[in-house]
Amino acid sequence: MAFSLLSAYENSAGSITVQNPATGAAVMTIREYSAGDVEAIVKKAQASLPAWSKRTGKDRAAVLKRWNDLILENQEELAQIITAECGKPLAEARGEVAYGASFVEWFAEEGKRAYGDVIPTHNPASRIVVMKQPIGVVAAITPWNFPVAMITRKVAPALAAGCPMIVKPAEATPLSALAIEELARRAGIPDDVFRIVTTSSPREVGEVLTTHPLIKKISFTGSTAVGKILMRQSADTVKKVSMELGGNAPFIVFDDADLDAAVEGALISKYRNAGQTCVCANRFYIQDGIYDAFITRFAERVASLRVGDGSENGTDVGPLINAAAVEKVNALVKSAVTDGARTVLGGTPDARGGNFYAPTLLADITPDMDIARAEIFGPVATVFRFTSEDDVVAQANDTPYGLAAYFYARDLGRVWRVAEALEYGMVGINEGILSTEVAPFGGIKESGVGREGSRYGIDEYMEMKYCLFGGLGN
Ligand code: NAP
């Protein structure tokens, strides 16, 4: 299928051919940027900094609002591009486009309100002023699982703050990124202020982006392992970093929970995007008194999920991103079953073959199993039984990750205790989905550094400067 938003990017001599994970078919071939190309782009971004950063917040907001409008006007084609390269069902892809645009709209507004501060002075002859200034040229490296939203969540605050940004998207999903860039051009965002660099050499390009002295900040979303490499590489030039990394989210259901709500929350939290989201519920802890009832009801709902090509009507669960992902998920499931897990549903690649994996539900999981420690990143729910509140909180926190956690309970005292005790950057209480542009998204521990979205998100792209005005007399 030819996409009109991508007509300027078709490059049959290029070396990156994007494949549809549902069919294996080639979607489009695009050009490759080398490390040398990226060096030149960094210099151009630096040259664009003075003019872009000097524009008023209101002026930048007008451009960003046009971009937001264009993204929404092109929602359907963008969704089709996402589904073609990433595999998620079209309805989810449409939702991602709206979610992605929401950051552009939000930060268009926030850019106008990047206030500084006047601090009551320590000396009658002086005054203290704090101003916020754009940090400079910023680079971003993004993953394939939300190929539009993970870009806009970074570019919108950077641009609103006055910073040019260079983005390296995932090799599997560069087309959504290019379509977003095309719409940025149409909105009037200058070429050198926002550039997408597509490459099949992430290491080489990543090295330029993390070591170049003109780049002042790196914002990354992806795995914890790669995030650690990028943090190390950024150390020599002491770059500011934002890291949105992996997770191992617990989803706890207490005896007093609304069971129907918990089952619905579990379904959406686990199986959205075929389980390939960083905030996906990864470990389900169900209290003794409702353990069997929860599994029975959850299994009924999981069994109703329809696996298929994301472009087909009625598909709930699309393919995994590639064959390696299917192998990894299958190996985790097999090892859990060998170690004593009970297969309630699925447990194998889907009968459709290719990159499809059957929605799976495993019960009687124990903490020593590999699957309890790994980020599964597939449509596999693992269920543990627990007895006491203290014990489940300890188990939930027993991981190096600290991105998202969820729990269902109605006792008010318990709700507060557990919300405070969970060592996570985000906690969903009686809710299975918590992403929104108005709230700070991010993790603690090995799940990351910094926050995206909300009124805090723009600070990631600004420096704080303290000015002491002295000699003013008494
Ligand atoms: P990944 O392998 O870490 O890749 C992410 C990005 O880093 C891709 O653009 C990749 O390029 C690039 N990359 C890989 N190795 C690199 C290197 N040595 N130097 C520079 N760049 C490099 O992660 P993924 O498999 O795409 O995404 C899944 C992971 O992302 C999961 O762990 C998930 O939890 C996490 N995630 C976190 C959040 C969050 O907000 N916390 C959101 C979404 C996803 P290539 O594609 O070319 O390999």
Side-chain angles (χ1 to χ4, degrees):
M1 182 192 291
F3 295 107
S4 69
L5 288 174
L6 295 171
S7 55
Y9 296 99
E10 188 88 51
N11 185 334
S12 50
S15 54
I16 302 178
T17 298
V18 180
Q19 280 189 336
N20 182 324
T23 62
V27 181
M28 191 173 149
T29 299
I30 53 168
R31 77 167 276 195
E32 161 105 33
Y33 285 80
S34 68
D37 296 332
V38 175
E39 292 254 5
I41 287 170
V42 173
K43 289 192 184 117
K44 285 185 175 178
Q46 177 66 27
S48 75
L49 173 66
W52 183 251
S53 61
K54 281 194 184 110
R55 285 166 81 157
T56 62
K58 182 169 175 163
D59 189 10
R60 288 194 295 264
V63 181
L64 287 170
K65 277 194 185 144
R66 278 201 296 278
W67 192 27
N68 168 65
D69 293 346
L70 285 168
I71 294 173
L72 291 176
E73 281 164 27
N74 289 277
Q75 183 176 22
E76 191 55 33
E77 188 174 347
L78 284 168
Q80 284 176 9
I81 295 171
I82 293 174
T83 295
E85 64 180 354
C86 153
K88 69 178 66 173
L90 261 177
E92 285 187 31
R94 290 185 192 110
E96 180 183 343
V97 176
Y99 176 59
S102 72
F103 290 99
V104 182
E105 184 192 42
W106 174 265
F107 284 110
E109 295 296 333
E110 286 299 292
K112 293 191 282 189
R113 302 187 185 106
Y115 301 132
D117 217 349
V118 179
I119 296 178
T121 186
H122 65 307
N123 172 350
S126 65
R127 298 290 181 272
I128 294 173
V129 170
V130 175
M131 58 178 80
K132 290 189 184 168
Q133 295 179 308
I135 190 164
V137 176
V138 183
I141 298 179
T142 56
W144 48 264
N145 62 346
F146 287 89
V148 164
M150 294 305 100
I151 293 180
T152 55
R153 205 160 78 171
K154 299 178 188 307
V155 179
L159 265 51
C163 304
M165 187 180 248
I166 301 162
V167 180
K168 188 211 90 58
E171 189 184 343
T173 57
L175 302 181
S176 320
L178 294 173
I180 284 288
E181 184 187 57
E182 166 67 19
L183 294 172
R185 297 286 167 271
R186 294 185 192 173
I189 295 172
D191 290 9
D192 298 330
V193 167
F194 170 41
R195 283 297 294 268
I196 296 286
V197 293
T198 47
T199 184
S200 57
S201 307
R203 264 186 219 171
E204 291 74 7
V205 167
E207 201 168 322
V208 175
L209 298 177
T210 48
T211 59
H212 202 296
L214 290 178
I215 293 180
K216 301 301 179 207
K217 153 142 196 154
I218 178 104
S219 178
F220 173 71
T221 296
S223 61
T224 295
V226 173
K228 287 179 183 177
I229 295 172
L230 300 180
M231 283 178 86
R232 275 185 218 116
Q233 290 177 182
S234 302
D236 277 347
T237 45
V238 193
K239 291 191 201 321
K240 188 166 174 175
V241 296
S242 290
M243 294 280 148
E244 297 285 351
L245 308 177
N248 183 359
F251 188 111
I252 307 167
V253 186
F254 288 96
D255 281 344
D256 66 329
D258 174 338
L259 200 52
D260 289 334
V263 166
E264 289 312 306
L267 195 75
I268 189 91
S269 178
K270 177 73 251 181
Y271 294 97
R272 186 169 63 110
N273 204 12
Q276 303 170 109
T277 82
C278 54
V279 290
C280 256
N282 208 48
R283 296 170 288 155
F284 289 88
Y285 293 97
I286 314 299
Q287 201 161 13
D288 268 342
I290 51 163
Y291 186 80
D292 294 328
F294 178 88
I295 289 178
T296 305
R297 290 205 213 172
F298 192 29
E300 275 167 21
R301 294 293 282 120
V302 177
S304 73
L305 294 174
R306 216 164 110 187
V307 176
D309 185 325
S311 64
E312 289 164 9
N313 273 338
T315 292
D316 299 304
V317 178
L320 300 192
I321 190 67
N322 53 33
V326 175
E327 261 173 53
K328 181 199 133 184
V329 169
N330 200 38
L332 282 170
V333 168
K334 293 279 165 282
S335 129
V337 172
T338 304
D339 291 346
R342 173 164 57 94
T343 307
V344 180
L345 279 175
T348 57
D350 191 75
R352 288 178 81 109
N355 296 333
F356 294 93
Y357 201 83
T360 294
L361 179 52
L362 301 178
D364 306 342
I365 302 290
T366 52
D368 50 301
M369 296 178 184
D370 288 347
I371 205 163
R373 313 230 142 244
E375 187 180 23
I376 302 170
F377 240 57
V380 177
T382 57
V383 186
F384 303 65
R385 183 193 286 267
F386 77 92
T387 310
S388 82
E389 181 183 311
D390 285 349
D391 183 39
V392 77
V393 167
Q395 283 195 60
N397 288 341
D398 185 18
T399 165
Y401 294 109
L403 190 59
Y406 308 85
F407 70 93
Y408 281 68
R410 280 186 287 206
D411 177 88
L412 192 57
R414 165 176 286 161
V415 165
W416 275 95
R417 281 193 306 274
V418 175
E420 287 178 357
L422 286 170
E423 294 165 358
Y424 288 83
M426 299 175 281
V427 181
I429 301 152
N430 298 322
E431 292 282 352
I433 288 210
L434 39 62
S435 305
T436 157
E437 79 279 13
V438 307
F441 189 103
I444 60 171
K445 295 162 76 179
E446 293 190 17
S447 287
V449 178
R451 293 294 180 272
E452 294 190 322
S454 81
R455 70 188 171 91
Y456 305 105
I458 198 162
D459 288 340
E460 303 280 331
Y461 299 94
M462 305 200 92
E463 290 285 23
M464 194 185 285
K465 184 183 282 175
Y466 148 49
C467 296
L468 177 66
F469 294 80
L472 302 181
N474 287 317

